[in-house]
Amino acid sequence: GQRDPTAEALASPDFVVASRDRLAGAVLSELRKGRHARAALSYVYVVDPALKSLVGVVDLRDLVLAPESATLASIMLSPAIAARHGEVRRDVEAVLWKYHFRMLPVVDDKDRVLGVVRYADVVTGPEAESRA
């Protein structure tokens, strides 16, 4: 049969990443400048400033409700659930289903974010219906 695509192959480059020491207010004003695609605006993936490794995730709703002076580290969920770059589509789909995420970050062997797999890109279409 056809080989299942990997998480890395399914990943979109449109995602928001910020350092754990950034302030909620600063990140929000950056997002308001509109440099990111609308589809990228669900989560902010929080990284360690030195290693660039994924340390947490902030839902946009939590970011909006947080005090301007809160650091991302103080409001993030940690650890962030992510797909490894070599995981196959059905595994990525299972994680998206299980946790009801709108998107899932894809990380390399050093936990750096390579991209995101969107729920809508993976769980729609005839293949999804035939497996449901």
Side-chain angles (χ1 to χ4, degrees), residues 18-31:
S19 176
R20 67 187 302 155
D21 48 14
R22 294 288 311 280
L23 302 182
V27 174
L28 269 177
S29 25
E30 204 171 281
L31 293 178

Side-chain angles (χ1 to χ4, degrees), residues 8-22:
E8 189 169 9
L10 294 164
S12 158
D14 289 328
F15 61 94
V16 181
V17 67
S19 176
R20 67 187 302 155
D21 48 14
R22 294 288 311 280

Side-chain angles (χ1 to χ4, degrees), residues 7-17 35-37 39-41 45 103-106 113-118 121:
E8 189 169 9
L10 294 164
S12 158
D14 289 328
F15 61 94
V16 181
V17 67
R35 290 195 199 104
H36 292 281
L41 300 177
Y45 295 106
M103 54 178 69
L104 185 67
V106 178
V113 183
L114 302 171
V116 294
V117 178
R118 285 197 199 90
D121 294 345

